[in-house]
Amino acid sequence: MTMPKLAALLVFTALLPQALKAQETAPDVLVKNVTTEVVELIAKDKEIKSGNRAKLMQVIQAKVLPHFNFASMTALAMGQSWSKATPEQKKQLTEEFKTLLVRTYASALAAYSEQKFDFRPLRAKPTDTDVTVNVRVLQPGSQAVTIDYSMEKTANGWKVYDVMVGGVSLVANYRTEFNQAVRQSGVEGLLKTLHEKNRELEKK
Amino acid sequence: MNRRINSFNEVVDENFARPVAQAYRDNIHVEIRTRVANFFGNLADPFIGINNILQGKVEEGFDDFGRFLINTTIGLFGMHDVASEAGVEKHNEDFGQTFGRWGAREGPYLVIPLLGPSNVRDAAGLATDWYTDPTVESVRPIRLRNTMYGLRFVNARAELLDASKLLEQAALDKYIFLRDAYLQRRRSLVYDGRAPRERDTEVNEPPEKAVK
């Protein structure tokens, strides 16, 4: 190998990671791919269709959760109360909130997986680091339900930090509940409430 | 007071509305339920059109009248939503939203007996909706009209079955969760889905949020 060729190869190898990063999946493509894949998986799986929750949770855990930033979601949902929590409490709160959201998400998915989805093209600049990806669920007799994913760009790709269903932000909807619980019984009280709620749902 | 009416509504729902809606969904084939949903959806379209025009959205308003004409004729009395398939979108409008567009404040959150979440503006809107929506009211004989009212109600409740299950699951306090979801939803509808986003509003919560 001649020197110039070797030099070119070296430069190319050095630039490769950069080039790969630039090619990371766009947020709207990501949402479309994940939704399509999960809905197809559910449609094909007889066990999930007949109500096997554990299996549905496995699918969500493997395919959906990696694209969510639960720490961000919890911080946003806590609002001002977030600063009152210790690092350990923050970790626990995130874990409990995640469990609650995932379970709700699983039910929603089971309910709506047979509907038609309409993925809207992203309206954002390539330099944006905070975007909203719009999906619509079509249903007979009424206006389509919109699902808007608020996503932020991180070192590990795009992550969802809020989901708005029909204009209702999940994160905002929990804020009053969380703040009220913290006002009444502190961060520890909220943790306890979340924990009990999750355990109660587990039994069902 | 709101909480007490809310509890009353829950009892009525659990013992009457929800079981009827569940039975409807379990026993009637989805094909028929879709026709029923489309039929009542179609009857609402001219009314939605009027509200769009009152809000200055003339083009959308004409789309709604167009939908009604197409679906009533080609779509066999609205049972088939051919307009949506042709790309003429269905909208969601009512007088509560129109008043909001005109600048009316929401006022305090209200729970209306039997009907559920509302606010002062939407309650006034609802009264106007009923007063101006002649589609089912003018149906005769009375027995047919009442059957239609009943079916419309069951259809509407059945559409909410999944949502109400989700609410049970997701909420720590059902009353607060439903209230906040309702207020957010209505705000979003007034803006036609272009309400300010979560992160942008984080610091400045709208003052209405504080109303208990």
Side-chain angles (χ1 to χ4, degrees), chain B residues 18-39:
Chain B
R18 193 174 351 175
V20 173
Q22 187 69 51
Y24 172 72
R25 192 161 87 168
D26 293 343
N27 295 301
I28 308 291
H29 193 272
V30 60
E31 181 68 22
I32 297 170
R33 281 186 279 122
T34 304
R35 300 293 149 252
V36 171
N38 282 341
F39 176 78

Side-chain angles (χ1 to χ4, degrees), chain B residues 9-20:
Chain B
N9 286 351
E10 275 180 14
V11 171
V12 175
D13 187 55
E14 267 162 44
N15 293 294
F16 174 68
R18 193 174 351 175
V20 173

Side-chain angles (χ1 to χ4, degrees), chain A residues 19-61:
Chain A
L20 282 179
K21 217 179 221 171
Q23 274 191 340
E24 78 183 359
T25 324
D28 53 337
V29 178
L30 183 73
V31 167
K32 185 177 178 176
N33 290 350
V34 171
T35 312
T36 317
E37 192 187 356
V38 170
V39 167
E40 273 172 15
L41 267 173
I42 295 174
K44 268 190 259 166
D45 197 305
K46 287 205 181 86
E47 285 177 60
I48 293 179
K49 280 191 107 179
S50 60
N52 186 337
R53 258 311 140 84
K55 200 155 182 211
L56 178 59
M57 294 293 258
Q58 271 174 19
V59 170
I60 292 172
Q61 217 119 37

Side-chain angles (χ1 to χ4, degrees), chain B:
Chain B
M1 190 60 192
N2 273 342
R3 266 197 196 263
R4 279 165 64 188
I5 298 172
N6 191 58
S7 309
F8 167 75
N9 286 351
E10 275 180 14
V11 171
V12 175
D13 187 55
E14 267 162 44
N15 293 294
F16 174 68
R18 193 174 351 175
V20 173
Q22 187 69 51
Y24 172 72
R25 192 161 87 168
D26 293 343
N27 295 301
I28 308 291
H29 193 272
V30 60
E31 181 68 22
I32 297 170
R33 281 186 279 122
T34 304
R35 300 293 149 252
V36 171
N38 282 341
F39 176 78
F40 287 112
N42 182 53
L43 286 185
D45 273 344
F47 168 79
I48 291 169
I50 290 168
N51 275 287
N52 261 327
I53 287 168
L54 287 175
Q55 294 174 33
K57 293 178 284 184
V58 177
E59 202 177 311
E60 282 92 338
F62 278 107
D63 273 357
D64 296 323
F65 291 119
R67 283 178 52 84
F68 181 71
L69 285 177
I70 296 169
N71 284 341
T72 305
T73 51
I74 306 174
L76 296 173
F77 302 106
M79 288 193 292
H80 297 265
D81 188 356
V82 275
S84 282
E85 281 158 30
V88 188
E89 268 182 44
K90 184 162 181 72
H91 300 121
N92 180 338
E93 301 294 346
D94 52 54
F95 272 99
Q97 294 178 51
T98 300
F99 295 160
R101 266 294 162 110
W102 290 351
R105 294 290 188 93
E106 305 176 338
Y109 178 67
L110 285 181
V111 182
I112 304 176
L114 299 176
L115 295 176
S118 190
N119 57 43
V120 171
R121 182 193 68 209
D122 289 342
L126 195 65
T128 319
D129 292 347
W130 283 351
Y131 193 72
T132 50
D133 178 11
T135 36
V136 177
E137 175 57 39
S138 55
V139 168
R140 291 295 179 273
I142 291 289
R143 194 188 290 171
L144 178 64
R145 187 200 70 186
N146 290 346
T147 309
M148 280 177 71
Y149 273 139
L151 189 57
R152 184 165 77 172
F153 174 78
V154 173
N155 167 60
R157 184 62 187 87
E159 282 177 354
L160 289 173
L161 278 172
D162 290 324
S164 58
K165 262 182 222 154
L166 284 179
L167 171 71
E168 298 262 338
Q169 246 188 35
L172 303 177
D173 177 335
K174 258 198 289 176
Y175 172 78
I176 290 183
F177 204 83
L178 184 61
R179 180 196 69 193
D180 287 5
Y182 176 82
L183 294 175
Q184 275 202 66
R185 168 84 179 139
R186 293 299 297 182
R187 248 170 244 151
S188 159
L189 283 174
V190 170
Y191 286 105
D192 287 326
R194 287 184 286 274
R197 264 188 353 158
E198 180 45 29
R199 208 164 251 188
D200 312 331
T201 57
E202 189 191 350
V203 188
N204 306 313
E205 282 189 26
E208 286 90 345
K209 263 275 161 72
V211 174
K212 278 276 142 68

